[in-house]
Amino acid sequence: MAAKLYQFLGSPFCAKVRKLLAFKGVEFEVVEVDYLERKELLLASGQITVPAVTLDNGETIVDSARIAMRLEELYPEPTIFPSGWRGMHLVLADFIDNHLEESVYPVALADELAYYSREGADRGALWRFIRERKYGKGFVDRTIADHSANWERLREALAPFEDQLGNAPFLTGRIGLADFALYGQLFYLAFTGELKIPAEMKNLRAFFGRVDRISSKIEESN
């Protein structure tokens, strides 16, 4: 029986987990969670947030960082911690997940709103309501209106990664956890089908393509 990944398509953390599963050679089924109806997710994981992974042994893990560590325990080869780089990958992945994400998120916001609005007016409205309950009334429109400033901040945040990837195919030479975290954030700029990584950042675009090609058997489930 294949594992199950409960996800939202646009989530960078779900993209990270998809590639971790593929890298480990774990066959998995993608369950795209309906933004309004999350009963199956709740029954599987006990909560309504993604990503959540149910393994073929029936174990369910939530949160991309926890999923990564559990997969490494269960499937140690190929490793996500190149020899001598474990600590650095943990630090980098945490930075990417919690700080780089702050620069990517405002840029991707308009695409995410458009995606859920196409899924249905009720889904778009709920998506907006959740963001504005957390960040304050008017947050979504205000963020989208700051398009140019958001891109300027993102380019600045991505610059060190672009520079580093000019020296090696992956952040520490060999692929590891931080690369999957970075791929996840970059996927946020690609989930619409259009790759929006700035054209001048050729190293990041090539890096995204390298990680994107990692695959295992995936079955889609509605």
Side-chain angles (χ1 to χ4, degrees):
M1 182 179 71
K4 284 187 175 183
L5 167 62
Y6 297 90
Q7 71 160 27
F8 296 142
L9 174 64
S11 165
F13 303 104
C14 293
K16 170 187 171 184
V17 171
R18 281 198 305 276
K19 289 304 170 185
L20 282 166
L21 287 164
F23 179 70
K24 292 292 188 180
V26 178
E27 291 189 355
F28 64 101
E29 174 186 357
V30 172
V31 180
E32 189 67 27
V33 177
D34 187 296
Y35 206 73
L36 290 177
E37 176 51 70
R38 307 188 192 188
K39 182 178 180 180
E40 184 180 356
L41 171 63
L42 182 61
L43 289 172
S45 68
Q47 60 183 47
I48 60 172
T49 57
V50 294
V53 170
T54 298
L55 299 173
D56 58 7
N57 63 6
E59 177 184 2
T60 298
I61 317 115
V62 298
D63 180 81
S64 69
R66 291 176 183 157
I67 292 168
M69 298 305 291
R70 184 60 175 147
L71 290 176
E72 183 70 4
E73 289 176 1
L74 294 172
Y75 309 98
E77 294 297 335
T79 183
I80 55 173
F81 296 119
S83 180
W85 290 97
R86 180 186 176 93
M88 183 58 70
H89 272 276
L90 288 170
V91 169
L92 276 173
D94 182 72
F95 176 84
I96 291 165
D97 284 346
N98 294 292
H99 295 285
L100 180 61
E101 192 266 349
E102 293 176 356
S103 296
V104 179
Y105 178 70
V107 167
L109 198 72
D111 285 337
E112 199 170 16
L113 174 59
Y115 171 79
Y116 283 112
S117 297
R118 285 194 300 272
E119 292 289 299
D122 49 356
R123 288 159 179 79
L126 178 60
W127 181 91
R128 180 187 287 270
F129 172 76
I130 290 172
R131 268 83 197 150
E132 301 207 339
R133 185 175 63 177
K134 181 176 181 179
Y135 297 111
K137 186 174 176 58
F139 166 78
V140 172
D141 291 337
R142 195 164 56 247
T143 301
I144 292 173
D146 286 340
H147 180 78
S148 296
N150 291 336
W151 267 109
E152 184 177 347
R153 284 191 292 271
L154 179 56
R155 281 186 167 88
E156 184 177 346
L158 289 175
F161 297 97
E162 170 71 10
D163 183 62
Q164 179 64 19
L165 289 166
N167 303 311
F170 302 106
L171 291 173
T172 61
R174 293 182 59 191
I175 194 168
L177 177 61
D179 298 290
F180 294 105
L182 180 57
Y183 169 85
Q185 295 304 320
L186 295 176
F187 184 82
Y188 218 2
L189 304 176
F191 82 94
T192 62
E194 177 187 354
L195 183 59
K196 295 184 178 180
I197 300 169
E200 69 271 17
M201 293 188 162
K202 295 184 178 2
N203 298 327
L204 276 168
R205 291 174 71 94
F207 164 85
F208 180 83
R210 279 192 290 275
V211 181
D212 199 51
R213 287 190 291 273
I214 298 171
S215 65
S216 66
K217 182 180 178 183
I218 303 175
E219 299 176 4
E220 299 291 339
S221 174
N222 295 322

